[in-house]
């Protein structure tokens, strides 16, 4: 490596007096040395202090510029060389070179910047601040015939698109148009894969989602799905998955989703519908997720239910009851849950048999499926009849009580509690209350009254008040052992309790007075003091209820 030391010394001299021929000779020797032993050569370069000279050699007019950039790209492959490159002030002159007309200079400059900033969010953010994104997008448009330059741009986009701060800059360029144009021309799987890797992070941004839809990406994705659906080649299966996943991602933006829905008449919507009865699990999954995304506003939901989507989703669920695909189950249940949100859809979905279809998954041991199953049922039981029917289903209620203890899965636990409470609140039925009491559900409703979410606390208190009004004798022991009275005392005393919590706690106290043992507990805890303070509460309803409760407590004391 002595030759290398000589070359480095010579380079120092020629870099100062700028003799192009001898400079070029030195640079060629360095590139050769790097090709033979990159790490050792890089260490020597670092030790020689030559990096500092490179900044002055990165000038647009010089015939040596591409070679200098190439050397920087090669040394920056080594992690230990990246900070020295930054310290030598190489980033700024490299960024300037992105305006060059010379394709070789552009290629080596892009490589150098990519390698220096590899894996460093702070350096990538610096590049974004220096405005490289619009420059690179412009380059992609101008040099789309140059495969190596195109690839360099795509790699850069892939790295930069991971950063949140890049999305706004990308959205102000015509990146969507350029990528879709490029995508349409690609036949090779690897090249398309590279474009997909840029599209996925970019498509997380709503403005870019819409741009991609307007640039015609969806049509490309649908075409890929059609081409690959029957193939069993690994590459084709992977591409089908990527294309259908990206399609679902584009539907997560409200504007892009509405544009593709086109009042339910859109070609895209119709094509997605045809995925649901398909035999391909990936397409079934993407189809159900797409429907769940289309079902994010009431108008779409009503249109889809009126046009038979529920039956298609129930058929799909039916195919996955026994040892089914969990992701498909989860997606189909998500779609049904969203469709059940508009009031007018509930009765239609109940009469279509949705609850029966959903209950087949009660035995599922998969928390994501359990969570969506519970959410779907909760959305459907606004009607008294449905709540009564489900609330008397002992198997369902026992499973809910079991899930109320799923401490590892807060979502499942919360939804189970809310469904128990909803069954009581919507049915107002003694039979439902008896079923829930016998299955051990009361203690969970009492715990729910202490939730950190006001909406859940409130739902629990209303359900408990109905239990106390309709079946106090049946529930008395459970209410006592769950320490309901102490909890109500705490809720009324706590200044942070919301007005509706205070109001419903007092309603419940009055209802509990019909039980001798609970009445005694109320007396022992001196509720009168707490309640009389609430007579001057700023909320009128709370103040009125405090007066009524005080009277009741005084009469019964």
């Amino acid at each position: 490596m002595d030759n290398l030391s000589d070359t480095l010394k010579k380079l120092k001299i020629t870099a100062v007096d700028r003799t192009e021929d001898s400079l070029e000779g030195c640079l060629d020797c360095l590139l050769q040395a790097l090709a033979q032993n990159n790490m050792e050569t890089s260490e020597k370069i670092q030790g020689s202090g030559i990096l500092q000279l490179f900044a002055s050699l990165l000038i647009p007019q010089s015939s040596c510029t591409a070679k200098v950039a190439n050397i920087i790209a090669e040394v920056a492959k080594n992690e230990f060389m990246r900070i020295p490159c930054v310290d030598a002030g190489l980033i700024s002159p490299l960024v300037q070179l992105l305006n060059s007309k010379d394709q070789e200079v552009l290629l080596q400059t892009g490589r150098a910047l990519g390698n220096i900033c590899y894996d460093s969010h702070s350096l990538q953010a610096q590049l974004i601040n220096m405005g490289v994104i619009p420059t690179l997008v412009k380059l992609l448009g101008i040099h789309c015939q140059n495969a190596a330059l195109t690839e360099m741009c795509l790699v850069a986009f892939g790295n930069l698109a991971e950063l949140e701060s890049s999305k706004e800059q990308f959205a102000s360029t015509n990146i969507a148009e350029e990528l879709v144009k490029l995508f349409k021309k690609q036949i090779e799987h690897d090249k398309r894969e590279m474009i997909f890797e840029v599209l996925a992070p970019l498509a997380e941004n709503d403005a870019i989602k819409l741009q991609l839809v307007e640039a015609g990406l969806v049509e490309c994705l649908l075409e890929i799905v059609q081409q690959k659906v029957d193939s069993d080649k690994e590459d084709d299966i992977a591409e089908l998955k990527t294309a259908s996943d990206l399609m679902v991602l584009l539907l997560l933006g409200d504007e892009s989703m509405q544009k593709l829905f086109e009042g339910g008449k859109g070609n895209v919507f119709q094509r997605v519908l045809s995925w649901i009865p398909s035999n391909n699990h990936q397409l079934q999954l993407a189809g159900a997720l797409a429907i769940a995304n289309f079902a994010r506003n009431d108008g779409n939901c009503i249109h889809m239910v009126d046009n038979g989507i529920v039956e298609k989703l129930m058929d799909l669920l039916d195919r996955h009851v026994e040892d089914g695909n969990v992701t498909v189950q989860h997606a189909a249940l998500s779609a049904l849950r969203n469709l059940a949100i508009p009031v007018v859809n509930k009765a239609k979905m109940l009469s279509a048999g949705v609850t029966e279809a959903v209950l087949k998954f009660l035995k599922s041991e998969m928390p994501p499926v359990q969570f969506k199953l519970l959410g779907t049922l909760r959305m459907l039981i606004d009607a008294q009849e449905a709540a009564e029917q489900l609330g008397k289903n002992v198997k369902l209620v026992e499973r809910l009580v079991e899930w109320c203890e799923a401490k590892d899965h807060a979502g499942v636990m919360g939804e189970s509690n809310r469904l128990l409470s909803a069954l009581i609140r919507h049915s107002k039925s003694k039979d439902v209350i008896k079923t829930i009491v016998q299955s051990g559900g009361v203690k969970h409703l009492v715990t729910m009254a202490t939730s950190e979410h006001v909406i859940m606390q409130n739902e629990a208190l209303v359900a408990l008040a109905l239990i106390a009004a309709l079946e106090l004798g049946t529930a008395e022991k459970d209410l006592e052992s769950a320490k309901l009275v102490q909890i109500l005392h705490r809720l009324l005393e706590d200044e942070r309790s919301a007005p509706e919590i205070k109001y419903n706690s007092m309603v419940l106290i009055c209802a509990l007075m019909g039980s001798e043992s609970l009445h005694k507990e109320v007396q022992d805890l001196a509720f009168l003091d707490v309640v009389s303070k609430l007579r001057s509460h700023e909320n009128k309803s709370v103040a009125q209820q405090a007066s009524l409760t005080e009277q009741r407590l005084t009469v019964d004391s």
Side-chain angles (χ1 to χ4, degrees), residues 351-369:
S351 60
V354 171
T355 50
E356 293 79 354
V358 169
L359 286 172
K360 289 176 186 169
F361 294 90
L362 259 188
K363 55 183 184 290
S364 171
E365 291 304 326
M366 306 306 279
V369 173

Side-chain angles (χ1 to χ4, degrees), residues 320-372:
H320 288 278
V321 174
E322 298 304 326
D323 308 319
N325 182 307
V326 172
T327 53
V328 175
Q329 293 171 358
H330 178 258
L333 289 167
S334 295
L336 286 171
R337 180 200 170 280
N338 288 1
L339 290 165
I341 292 172
V343 175
V344 294
N345 280 356
K346 297 180 198 292
K348 293 173 189 169
M349 289 174 72
L350 285 167
S351 60
V354 171
T355 50
E356 293 79 354
V358 169
L359 286 172
K360 289 176 186 169
F361 294 90
L362 259 188
K363 55 183 184 290
S364 171
E365 291 304 326
M366 306 306 279
V369 173
Q370 296 165 352
F371 180 69
K372 288 297 176 187

Side-chain angles (χ1 to χ4, degrees), residues 5 21 34 48 60 66 82-83 106 108-109 117 177 209 224 259 275 304 309-310 340 421 503 519 526 538:
S5 303
D21 291 347
L34 282 163
S48 71
R82 289 174 193 151
I83 296 301
L106 288 169
Q108 299 307 340
T109 300
C117 300
E177 211 178 300
K209 280 188 184 82
I224 288 176
K259 194 170 178 65
W275 294 355
M304 287 192 277
I309 188 66
V310 169
S421 151
Y503 177 87
H519 184 173
E538 58 187 358

Side-chain angles (χ1 to χ4, degrees), residues 132-234:
V132 298
I133 289 174
T135 310
L136 288 170
V137 174
K138 210 181 292 171
L139 288 183
L140 183 66
I142 298 167
H143 300 291
C144 55
Q145 304 306 324
N146 181 327
L149 259 179
T150 300
E151 198 166 313
M152 180 275 286
C153 288
L154 290 174
V155 171
F157 293 149
N159 288 326
L160 297 173
E162 297 292 338
L163 271 75
E164 210 37 59
S165 60
S166 73
K167 305 284 202 298
E168 222 166 281
Q169 276 206 27
F170 273 119
S172 66
T173 69
N174 62 338
I175 183 81
E177 211 178 300
E178 292 298 352
L179 288 175
V180 173
K181 211 189 300 174
L182 193 62
F183 194 80
K184 285 177 179 168
K185 283 193 291 197
Q186 297 305 332
I187 312 152
E188 294 166 57
H189 169 77
D190 293 350
K191 292 277 162 43
R192 291 221 285 225
E193 198 59 38
M194 279 191 85
I195 302 172
F196 272 138
E197 279 171 20
V198 179
L199 287 169
L202 284 180
E204 286 167 9
N205 175 277
D206 282 357
I208 301 174
K209 280 188 184 82
L210 187 59
Q211 290 169 11
L212 288 168
V213 167
E214 286 171 343
L217 178 61
V218 174
E219 288 69 21
C220 300
L221 298 176
L222 290 172
E223 206 172 301
I224 288 176
V225 169
Q226 207 168 346
Q227 287 166 5
K228 311 291 179 185
V229 67
D230 298 319
S231 170
D232 47 16
K233 280 198 222 150
E234 214 172 296

Side-chain angles (χ1 to χ4, degrees), residues 370-436:
Q370 296 165 352
F371 180 69
K372 288 297 176 187
L373 171 154
L374 292 163
T376 309
L377 291 176
R378 190 164 64 79
M379 284 303 151
L380 283 170
I381 58 157
D382 274 12
Q384 191 169 358
E385 196 183 324
E388 190 159 1
Q389 193 186 341
L390 280 175
K392 289 191 286 194
N393 179 329
V394 178
K395 266 190 184 157
L396 168 65
V397 173
E398 283 176 351
R399 193 70 163 134
L400 290 181
V401 170
E402 187 187 322
W403 285 340
C404 282
E405 286 165 15
K407 300 224 172 0
D408 295 344
H409 301 287
V412 172
M413 199 162 84
E415 276 292 341
S416 306
N417 278 302
R418 293 189 76 183
L419 184 52
L420 268 186
S421 151
L423 291 170
I424 295 170
R425 287 182 296 112
H426 294 304
S427 71
K428 299 181 176 59
S429 149
K430 290 185 169 207
D431 290 338
V432 170
I433 291 171
K434 280 178 188 161
T435 308
I436 288 173

Side-chain angles (χ1 to χ4, degrees), residues 333-557:
L333 289 167
S334 295
L336 286 171
R337 180 200 170 280
N338 288 1
L339 290 165
I341 292 172
V343 175
V344 294
N345 280 356
K346 297 180 198 292
K348 293 173 189 169
M349 289 174 72
L350 285 167
S351 60
V354 171
T355 50
E356 293 79 354
V358 169
L359 286 172
K360 289 176 186 169
F361 294 90
L362 259 188
K363 55 183 184 290
S364 171
E365 291 304 326
M366 306 306 279
V369 173
Q370 296 165 352
F371 180 69
K372 288 297 176 187
L373 171 154
L374 292 163
T376 309
L377 291 176
R378 190 164 64 79
M379 284 303 151
L380 283 170
I381 58 157
D382 274 12
Q384 191 169 358
E385 196 183 324
E388 190 159 1
Q389 193 186 341
L390 280 175
K392 289 191 286 194
N393 179 329
V394 178
K395 266 190 184 157
L396 168 65
V397 173
E398 283 176 351
R399 193 70 163 134
L400 290 181
V401 170
E402 187 187 322
W403 285 340
C404 282
E405 286 165 15
K407 300 224 172 0
D408 295 344
H409 301 287
V412 172
M413 199 162 84
E415 276 292 341
S416 306
N417 278 302
R418 293 189 76 183
L419 184 52
L420 268 186
S421 151
L423 291 170
I424 295 170
R425 287 182 296 112
H426 294 304
S427 71
K428 299 181 176 59
S429 149
K430 290 185 169 207
D431 290 338
V432 170
I433 291 171
K434 280 178 188 161
T435 308
I436 288 173
V437 172
Q438 280 153 11
S439 304
V442 169
K443 63 179 180 185
H444 296 298
L445 291 170
V446 175
T447 305
M448 184 181 166
T450 64
S451 163
E452 57 195 42
H453 303 290
V454 173
I455 192 164
M456 285 176 69
Q457 278 188 294
N458 219 21
E459 288 171 357
L461 291 170
V462 173
L464 289 165
L466 283 164
I467 292 175
L470 298 171
E471 275 298 320
L472 186 55
T474 315
E476 186 178 39
K477 281 193 170 57
D478 288 352
L479 294 170
E480 211 173 322
S481 63
K483 304 202 172 355
L484 175 62
V485 174
Q486 287 94 311
I487 284 169
L488 293 173
H489 192 271
R490 273 208 308 278
L491 289 175
L492 288 173
E493 250 189 342
D494 189 345
E495 287 175 12
R496 291 164 304 177
S497 293
E500 58 268 39
I501 301 301
K502 291 191 186 294
Y503 177 87
N504 283 321
S505 296
M506 289 188 283
V507 170
L508 183 46
I509 286 293
C510 296
L512 294 177
M513 302 301 270
S515 149
E516 206 172 310
S517 57
L518 292 168
H519 184 173
K520 186 176 182 320
E521 276 191 47
V522 171
Q523 279 182 318
D524 291 349
L525 272 173
F527 265 83
L528 261 173
D529 303 346
V530 187
V531 172
S532 58
K533 280 181 196 157
L534 292 173
R535 281 200 346 240
S536 55
H537 196 277
E538 58 187 358
N539 182 295
K540 271 194 188 150
S541 304
V542 172
Q544 275 174 335
Q545 186 57 44
S547 296
L548 292 171
T549 308
E550 191 179 30
Q551 284 167 24
R552 182 75 200 266
L553 290 170
T554 312
V555 169
D556 287 345
S557 63

